[in-house]
Amino acid sequence: MDSASLVAHASLHPQQNLHTLFVYGSLMADEVLRILLKRTPQSSDALLNGYQRLSIKRRVYPAIIPVDSKKVSGKILSGIKDFEMDILDAFEAVEYKRITVEDGLEKLLAYAYVWGNEKDPNLYGDWDFENNFICC
């Protein structure tokens, strides 16, 4: 289902659950969120303990994988509706799995998109939003 279909579907189903999402890459950019969701959700700084953010060969976006001694800085997006989660799931594609994590700053439970293959040979080096993000 494309974004327009998902938005139309949501208008027919006004009762929506609200979700919290930890983001650490391209979804930290307001421009990307406005393109995908047609709005910028409320956000706050966040820290995810026990994960590492890595670059992916031939990609402009990062991945996170579990690594005990590491931390990933990002944002918590709040008030994400069911249909918006569907849009974000489609955006993140099959290489990521959506799991529940705990933010290290506010101790909030949130969803996060984690790279599905922790041993992927295409993962390398740290990825940093300020130095690696290329937008729209």
Side-chain angles (χ1 to χ4, degrees):
M1 191 178 298
D2 64 14
S3 298
S5 299
L6 290 169
V7 171
H9 173 74
S11 64
L12 299 174
H13 301 87
Q15 292 288 10
Q16 296 284 318
N17 293 316
L18 298 180
H19 305 279
T20 305
L21 178 65
F22 174 80
V23 296
Y24 55 87
S26 57
L27 293 177
M28 288 178 31
D30 290 346
E31 301 87 0
V32 172
L33 292 169
R34 277 194 293 274
I35 290 167
L36 293 170
L37 305 180
K38 310 300 184 238
R39 72 182 187 99
T40 305
Q42 181 179 349
S43 68
S44 59
D45 290 339
L47 187 65
L48 183 59
N49 293 316
Y51 286 83
Q52 182 176 9
R53 179 174 40 208
L54 297 166
S55 296
I56 309 167
K57 288 180 186 172
R58 297 177 301 282
R59 314 275 178 102
V60 296
Y61 51 85
I64 60 171
I65 60 171
V67 176
D68 287 336
S69 61
K70 298 290 186 169
K71 297 177 185 176
V72 175
S73 60
K75 288 183 180 180
I76 291 286
L77 304 180
S78 53
I80 306 296
K81 298 173 186 165
D82 287 340
F83 82 96
E84 292 173 323
M85 286 304 302
D86 292 340
I87 292 169
L88 296 172
D89 286 348
F91 176 73
E92 293 297 349
V94 298
E95 294 167 317
Y96 293 90
K97 57 186 177 182
R98 180 170 29 118
I99 65 167
T100 303
V101 297
E102 183 178 357
D103 164 50
L105 296 177
E106 298 182 32
K107 304 298 181 206
L108 293 172
L109 288 179
Y111 288 121
Y113 293 101
V114 176
W115 196 250
N117 179 4
E118 296 174 28
K119 305 286 187 208
D120 189 332
N122 292 314
L123 299 178
Y124 71 98
D126 290 330
W127 189 94
D128 157 292
F129 184 79
E130 288 78 25
N131 294 321
N132 296 105
F133 180 68
I134 300 169
C135 187
C136 326

